[in-house]
C-alpha cells in the first residue's frame, strides 16, 4: 500500500504544487489521480519514485518511509510509463523492454526471453522485437512502454498520462489491454490523467485534485458520479454523469422477454397476432438458426411474405453488460427495444425502453452497488475485475 | 602528368607521404577537440549558465588568426607540427561543443524522464542514453570540424614547411612550378570530400535506429504516428 501523509511540495519560488495531500492507495488496484493542469497530479506521481522530493509530510510504501530506501533500487522496483512512451530511440523493441532487467544484472538471454514473453502479454507481435521505435505506431510504442515497465515484474506501476497522446480508438484499445493485464497481474497502479472518463473507466479509486494541489474528493468512481463532494468535482465530472453512472449498474437485473423473438426459418405465423403475444413489442426480432439477431420485422408485412428487415442497432451483453449499455441499445434501436445477447452474440431476450427505465429506477432505489460486482460496460471491462479488487471492496 | 607528383626534395616527403602527414595533422586535432568537447559540453548541459561564456570563449579562440597562435606557441613547441595542431584543435571546439550540447539536449524530455524513472544514475544515463542519442548531432559537428581542419593544415607552411600538402603552395612559387599548387589544392579537396563521406558512412552504421531518407522508404512509419522531428544531418 502506498500512503501519502499530508504531503506537500512547495517550490523555492513559493509555488505550491501539492498541498497537504493524504491518500491511501490500496494494493493490487488502480488508483487514478485526475484533475486539471496545475493540480499537482504528475508531481504527486513523481514523488512516489522520488523523482521529486516532497517538502512536507511523508510517503510510505508498505509502511516504510520512501526516503529511507536507496533511490535507484526503489525506482527499479517500480514500473514507469510516460506520455509518448519515452522509448529509447537507439534501442530495439526487445532491448527497450529489457532495460530494467539488464540494470538489475540479468544475463542477456534471460532478459531477451522476458522481453518476448512481455511482448505477447501486451499484444505485440514478437516479430517486432528487432524493430526500432521510429518504425512503430504511437499505440505500438505505448504497448512497448507498458511492457518495459512490467519487465522486472515490479509490484508497483506508475503511469503518467500514458494514453493521452494517442487517438481515441487506439486509446480505448490500450485501456482495455491495461484492464486485462491488471486482471491477470494485479499490480498496484497509480495512474495520472486529465481525462475524467479515463479515470472513471480505469480507476478502482479516483482522487480528484484541484488547482493548487489540493484533494477535492477521493472515492470509487461510482460514488464520485453519484455523490460529487462539491461544485468543482461536479463540474469536472461533466454534464452526463447520471448516464455514465449507469455503467456501474449490472444489466442482469433487467427483465428480458423472448416473446417477440422468432427464427428466420420459422413459419410466418398469424399475421393478425396480438401485440400481447409478442410481449407488447410492435415488431418481431428475427434471428438466424444459431439465434444471432438479423433485424426487426413488421409482423403484418412479414406474414404477407415481405422478408425485409430493419437493422437492430446495437446489442448489449445481458449477463455482464451494464444498464448503460442496455439503455444505449434501447435508444439506438429503431424500434425502441434493446436486444440482449450472450457472450457468443446469441439473443437472450429483448426489453423496451420502459423496461430499461424501470430497471434504472429499481437500481437507484436499491441505492447500493450492483449484484454483479465489478460490472461495467461489457466491452470496457473485458474479463471482469479480479477477485478481491472490485471497486466495492475498497470503499 | 608526372610533373604533378614529382615532389621538390626540400619537402623530404613523397606525395603519399605528404598525404599521410596532412591527414595526421588535420585529424589528430579534431580527435583531441572531440575529447576536450565531451566533458566541456556535458558541463554546459549540467550547468546551463556555463554555456554562454564557454561558447563565447570558443568563438573568440576561433577568431584568433593561426599566425598569432604560431607566434605565441613557437617559444614552447618550436617549428613543429604540434604548433600547427594546437590551434586546429582549439578551432574545432567552436563547432563541436555546440554540436554535442544540442545533441544531448535533443534527447526527448520523456525519454530522459523514463531513463531516470527506471533507475539510471547520471553517469550511466549519459553514457547509455544521452550520448548515443546525440550521435547524429555529434557527427554533424565532426563533419564540419574535419573538413575545415583539413583545409586549415596548409597554413603550417608558414612555420618552416609544417603544412604538409600546403608546403606545395610555397614551393610552387619558389620553383615556378604552378602544377604543384594544383596538386595541393586538388588533393586537399579530395581528402576533405573523402573524410566527409567516411564520416557519413560511420554515422549510418552507428545509428541504424535513425529514420533517414533511405530507411524511411524501406520501412514507412504507420500513418497514425505524428511525424517525429527527424534528426537531420546538418548540411
Amino acid at each position: 500500500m502506498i500512503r501519502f501523509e499530508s504531503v506537500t511540495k512547495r517550490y523555492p519560488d513559493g509555488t505550491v504544487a501539492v498541498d497537504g495531500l493524504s491518500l491511501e492507495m490500496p494494493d493490487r488496484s488502480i488508483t487514478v489521480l485526475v484533475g486539471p493542469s496545475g493540480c499537482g497530479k504528475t508531481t504527486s506521481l513523481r514523488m512516489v519514485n522520488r523523482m521529486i522530493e516532497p517538502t512536507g509530510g511523508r510517503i510510505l510504501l508498505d509502511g516504510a518511509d520512501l526516503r529511507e530506501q536507496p533511490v535507484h533500487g526503489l525506482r527499479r522496483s517500480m514500473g514507469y510509463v510516460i506520455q509518448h512512451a519515452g522509448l529509447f530511440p537507439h534501442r530495439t523493441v526487445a532491448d527497450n523492454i529489457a532495460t530494467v532487467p539488464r540494470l538489475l544484472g540479468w544475463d542477456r538471454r534471460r532478459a531477451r526471453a522476458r522481453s518476448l514473453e512481455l511482448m505477447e502479454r501486451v499484444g505485440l507481435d514478437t516479430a517486432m522485437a528487432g524493430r526500432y521505435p521510429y518504425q512503430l505506431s504511437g499505440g505500438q510504442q505505448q504497448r512497448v512502454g507498458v511492457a518495459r515497465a512490467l519487465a522486472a515484474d515490479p509490484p508497483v506501476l506508475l503511469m503518467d498520462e500514458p494514453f493521452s497522446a494517442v487517438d481515441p480508438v487506439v486509446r480505448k484499445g490500450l485501456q482495455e489491454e491495461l484492464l486485462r493485464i491488471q486482471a491477470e497481474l494485479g499490480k498496484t497502479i497509480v495512474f495520472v490523467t486529465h481525462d475524467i472518463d479515463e479515470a472513471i473507466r480505469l480507476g478502482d479509486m479516483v482522487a480528484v485534485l484541484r488547482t493548487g494541489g489540493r484533494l477535492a474528493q477521493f472515492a470509487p468512481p461510482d460514488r464520485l458520479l453519484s455523490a460529487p463532494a462539491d461544485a468543482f468535482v461536479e463540474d469536472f465530472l461533466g454534464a452526463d454523469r447520471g448516464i455514465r453512472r449507469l455503467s456501474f449498474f449490472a444489466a442482469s437485473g433487467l427483465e428480458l422477454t423472448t416473446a417477440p423473438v422468432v427464427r428466420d426459418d420459422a413459419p410466418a405465423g398469424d399475421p393478425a397476432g396480438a401485440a400481447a403475444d409478442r410481449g407488447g413489442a410492435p415488431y418481431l426480432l428475427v434471428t438466424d438458426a444459431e439465434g444471432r439477431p438479423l433485424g426487426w420485422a413488421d409482423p403484418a408485412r412479414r406474414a404477407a411474405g415481405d422478408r425485409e428487415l430493419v437493422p437492430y442497432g446495437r446489442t448489449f451483453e445481458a449477463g455482464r453488460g451494464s444498464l448503460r449499455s442496455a439503455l444505449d441499445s434501447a435508444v439506438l434501436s429503431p424500434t425502441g427495444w434493446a436486444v440482449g445477447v450472450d457472450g457468443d452474440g446469441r439473443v437472450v431476450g429483448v426489453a423496451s425502453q420502459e423496461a430499461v427505465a424501470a430497471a434504472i429506477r429499481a437500481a437507484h432505489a436499491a441505492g447500493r452497488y450492483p449484484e454483479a460486482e465489478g460490472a461495467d460496460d461489457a466491452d470496457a471491462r473485458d474479463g471482469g475485475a479480479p477477485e478481491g479488487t472490485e471497486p466495492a471492496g475498497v470503499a | 602528368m608526372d610533373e604533378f607528383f614529382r615532389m621538390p626534395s626540400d619537402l623530404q616527403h613523397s606525395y603519399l607521404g605528404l598525404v599521410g602527414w596532412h591527414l595526421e595533422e588535420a585529424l589528430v586535432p579534431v580527435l583531441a577537440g572531440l575529447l576536450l568537447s565531451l566533458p566541456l559540453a556535458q558541463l554546459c548541459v549540467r550547468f546551463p549558465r556555463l554555456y554562454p561564456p564557454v561558447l563565447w570563449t570558443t568563438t573568440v579562440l576561433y577568431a584568433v588568426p593561426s599566425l598569432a597562435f604560431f607566434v605565441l606557441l613557437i617559444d614552447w613547441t618550436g617549428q613543429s607540427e604540434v604548433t600547427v595542431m594546437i590551434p586546429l584543435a582549439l578551432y574545432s571546439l567552436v563547432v563541436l561543443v555546440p554540436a554535442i550540447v544540442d545533441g544531448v539536449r535533443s534527447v526527448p524530455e520523456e525519454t530522459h524522464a523514463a531513463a531516470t524513472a527506471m533507475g539510471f544514475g547520471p553517469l550511466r544515463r549519459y553514457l547509455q542514453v544521452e550520448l548515443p542519442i546525440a550521435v547524429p548531432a555529434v557527427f554533424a559537428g565532426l563533419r564540419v570540424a574535419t573538413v575545415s581542419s583539413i583545409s586549415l593544415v596548409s597554413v603550417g607552411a608558414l612555420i618552416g614547411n609544417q603544412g604538409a600538402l600546403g608546403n606545395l603552395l610555397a614551393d610552387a612559387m619558389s620553383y615556378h612550378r604552378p602544377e604543384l599548387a594544383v596538386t595541393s589544392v586538388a588533393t586537399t579537396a579530395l581528402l576533405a570530400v573523402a573524410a566527409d563521406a567516411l564520416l557519413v558512412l560511420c554515422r549510418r552504421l552507428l545509428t541504424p535506429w535513425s529514420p533517414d531518407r533511405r530507411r524511411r522508404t524501406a520501412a514507412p512509419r504507420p500513418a497514425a504516428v505524428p511525424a517525429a522531428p527527424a534528426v537531420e544531418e546538418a548540411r
Side-chain angles (χ1 to χ4, degrees), chain A residues 218-267:
Chain A
F218 185 50
D222 171 47
R223 174 99 29 97
L224 211 59
L225 288 168
S226 61
D230 56 22
F232 169 79
V233 178
E234 189 169 1
D235 193 41
F236 194 71
L237 284 166
D240 52 354
R241 66 183 170 89
I243 301 285
R244 281 189 281 165
R245 188 176 172 226
L246 295 180
S247 300
F248 295 92
F249 295 112
S252 51
L254 180 62
E255 218 168 298
L256 299 174
T257 169
T258 53
V261 181
V262 293
R263 271 172 48 168
D264 195 29
D265 49 8

Side-chain angles (χ1 to χ4, degrees), chain B residues 4 15 22 150-151 154 164-170 172 178-193:
Chain B
F4 286 92
Y15 171 70
H22 195 98
I150 286 173
S151 81
S154 306
L165 289 167
N167 300 343
L168 288 173
L169 294 171
E179 72 276 7
L180 290 182
V182 174
T183 306
S184 170
V185 170
T187 309
T188 308
L190 215 64
L191 286 181
V193 170

Side-chain angles (χ1 to χ4, degrees), chain B residues 36-168:
Chain B
L36 199 60
S37 305
L38 282 171
L40 207 55
Q42 190 52 19
L43 280 176
C44 293
V45 172
R46 278 297 279 277
F47 308 102
R49 251 186 268 175
L50 221 55
Y51 190 36
V54 167
L55 211 56
W56 185 83
T57 310
T58 59
T59 310
V60 167
L61 283 174
Y62 190 70
V64 176
S66 40
L67 205 56
F69 271 117
F70 295 161
V71 171
L72 284 173
L73 289 169
I74 216 149
D75 285 344
W76 285 283
T77 50
Q79 293 191 4
S80 71
E81 53 186 29
V82 178
T83 310
V84 180
M85 292 197 285
I86 288 175
L88 291 184
L90 293 176
Y91 291 160
S92 73
L93 298 182
V94 81
V95 278
L96 290 178
V97 171
I100 300 170
V101 170
D102 290 348
V104 171
R105 282 184 179 169
S106 76
V107 175
E109 198 274 328
E110 64 270 11
T111 303
H112 199 271
T116 308
M118 281 188 291
F120 280 81
L123 182 67
R124 202 198 286 261
R125 191 180 61 206
Y126 179 65
L127 294 177
Q128 294 188 7
V129 179
E130 293 170 5
L131 212 50
I133 294 175
V135 159
V138 174
F139 267 76
L142 271 180
R143 289 172 64 189
V144 179
T146 304
V147 168
S148 103
S149 190
I150 286 173
S151 81
L152 285 172
V153 162
S154 306
V155 81
L158 293 170
I159 51 162
N161 279 356
Q162 296 296 327
L165 289 167
N167 300 343
L168 288 173

Side-chain angles (χ1 to χ4, degrees), chain A residues 46 49 51 72 75-76 78 80 82-91 99-100 103 132 134-138 140-141 148 167, chain B residues 108-111 113-122 124 128-129 132-133 208-211 215-216 219-222 224-225:
Chain A
R46 289 188 170 192
N49 69 353
M51 285 170 78
H72 295 312
R75 288 176 186 165
R76 286 168 202 173
M78 294 181 174
Y80 191 82
I82 196 170
Q83 194 178 3
H84 300 292
L87 300 182
F88 299 133
H90 60 298
R91 292 191 177 173
T99 305
V100 177
L103 284 174
Y132 288 98
Y134 82 91
Q135 295 166 312
L136 307 179
S137 70
Q140 288 169 336
Q141 289 190 13
R148 183 174 66 175
D167 67 69
Chain B
E109 198 274 328
E110 64 270 11
T111 303
T116 308
M118 281 188 291
F120 280 81
R124 202 198 286 261
Q128 294 188 7
V129 179
I133 294 175
W209 50 270
S210 170
R215 281 169 215 283
R216 195 174 292 153
R221 292 171 69 108
V225 196

